[in-house]
Amino acid sequence: VSLYGRETVSQWRFRMGTECQGKDRFTGTQEEFHRLYDHAAAAAKRVLPDAKFGPFNLAGSPDGPNVSFHALVEHCLNETNHATGQVGSPLDFTSVSVYTSPSLLRAILRTTHPQFKAQQKIDFWNGLGKKWPPLAGISREVHEFGVLGNEFKLGSGEPGARGAAWTFHVMMALREGGLDRLWSWGVLEPINLGGKHQVLNGTGWVFSILEHTVGGETYSLKPTLKPVVQDATALSGDLQAIASFERPEKLARPGRLFVKSVAVVHKDRTFVITSAYHEDRFVTAPVDVTITLPKSLLPTAGTPRVRYAALTRTGAVHYRIRQDLADARLLDAKSAAVPGLLSGVKAMGGRPAWKHVDTNWPRYERIIHDSLILKPFEGRLETAGDGQSITFRMAPPSVIVIVLDGRDD
């Protein structure tokens, strides 16, 4: 309070523990956790009456071997508080963790299913409100978010377009399910060689776009998709390598393409953001996407100017770094064995990879910068009633933002 001021600190959230439904984080009994929770909440509220206090962020089953989240909720709503002697304890939010860690030992296509992942959390929140009606309107929060692992257990997640597309889809699906707040893991990868260079990952790219939409109204859209027939013999070298990769048996099943699209509307500007994510990383066939915007979602002033920016598989900076590391014979052999697989810079080549990026920083900084610059729209615009239809081509994995706004002239 003395450092930041009471007004600022009163806006903070205080949470009793992290993923405490297992003995790795709390070894005591249910009753001992209730007692700890009550006294911690009372202490926080005594100093900061307006601050929010709630239980640990839930990961996995609500009912662990020693601590049940459901039993804690019942205690907070209907049982005697160990600190105050009154009935009830503060319960200002319910939070979860959202991770996906595919495994070749399980049904990996299901575990990377973005809609399924979001629905798990939505069902949990809806279940709380159904069982305890006072919780129907409680703040729904994600306190740990944003790590999509890879099924080969190499490196540190998916820092390119695949991670960006999955992240965007899950976030928007959660928002449709009533999400109020979300905290993501880091969006910058430091090059730890004593300098200040940090590489923006795919999740960071998504947040950089969303930052421009703050203050607008968000609407879910229903895109229509038309497959694009490809000539396999005309594919680029890396796409041929991906298409011909001999997959482990668990990866040989068909997966689904997920396309998620929303419009964020301001008075003078509309953002249409669309992601394409395929459960099977080795499927990269493009589709033509058509989105229809009614007049109510279009900018109010005249015929709009239309521009776009996109994060594509080959346009992501980590993809370009991987290609350069391979050319320089610095790419880790395990990463090189899986076509197109991306990870953190160090995971792809150790300290020599860091040194390569540090030495060639202007090139990678320019790639990041260019991926965020709006360019003239290359798709098709047509009148649709009193609105506008927009058609564009995208291939998984990718995220595209189309901006419609007033003309400079």
Side-chain angles (χ1 to χ4, degrees), residues 170-328:
V170 174
M171 285 198 302
M172 294 302 107
L174 287 169
R175 188 70 184 95
E176 291 169 350
L179 175 71
D180 292 294
R181 294 168 182 257
L182 179 146
W183 283 263
S184 178
W185 285 107
V187 298
L188 294 169
E189 179 186 354
I191 304 301
N192 291 323
L193 294 176
K196 298 181 179 180
H197 299 152
Q198 300 186 83
V199 183
L200 186 73
N201 64 26
T203 297
W205 190 94
V206 169
F207 280 113
S208 296
I209 297 299
L210 293 177
E211 186 75 18
H212 292 277
T213 71
V214 172
E217 291 290 332
T218 304
Y219 300 84
S220 295
L221 303 174
K222 295 182 178 180
T224 59
L225 310 180
K226 181 180 179 181
V228 176
V229 178
Q230 282 186 304
D231 179 359
T233 62
L235 295 177
S236 62
D238 69 324
L239 283 179
Q240 287 186 4
I242 289 173
S244 62
F245 180 68
E246 187 174 344
R247 312 171 195 194
E249 183 179 350
K250 289 284 187 179
L251 286 175
R253 298 172 302 155
R256 282 183 57 191
L257 171 67
F258 292 88
V259 176
K260 191 72 173 175
S261 189
V262 303
V264 185
V265 179
H266 294 254
K267 181 179 179 180
D268 59 350
R269 179 173 294 185
T270 297
F271 299 84
V272 177
I273 311 174
T274 306
S275 61
Y277 175 85
H278 203 289
E279 293 174 278
D280 187 340
R281 71 170 60 251
F282 302 108
V283 175
T284 60
V287 292
D288 284 335
V289 181
T290 299
I291 292 167
T292 300
L293 295 177
K295 184 179 180 180
S296 59
L297 300 188
L298 294 171
T300 56
T303 303
R305 172 182 57 175
V306 186
R307 296 172 293 165
Y308 83 102
L311 186 71
T312 64
R313 183 182 64 86
T314 59
V317 67
H318 281 82
Y319 172 87
R320 308 289 280 276
I321 290 172
R322 176 194 160 105
Q323 297 297 91
D324 291 348
L325 292 177
D327 291 343

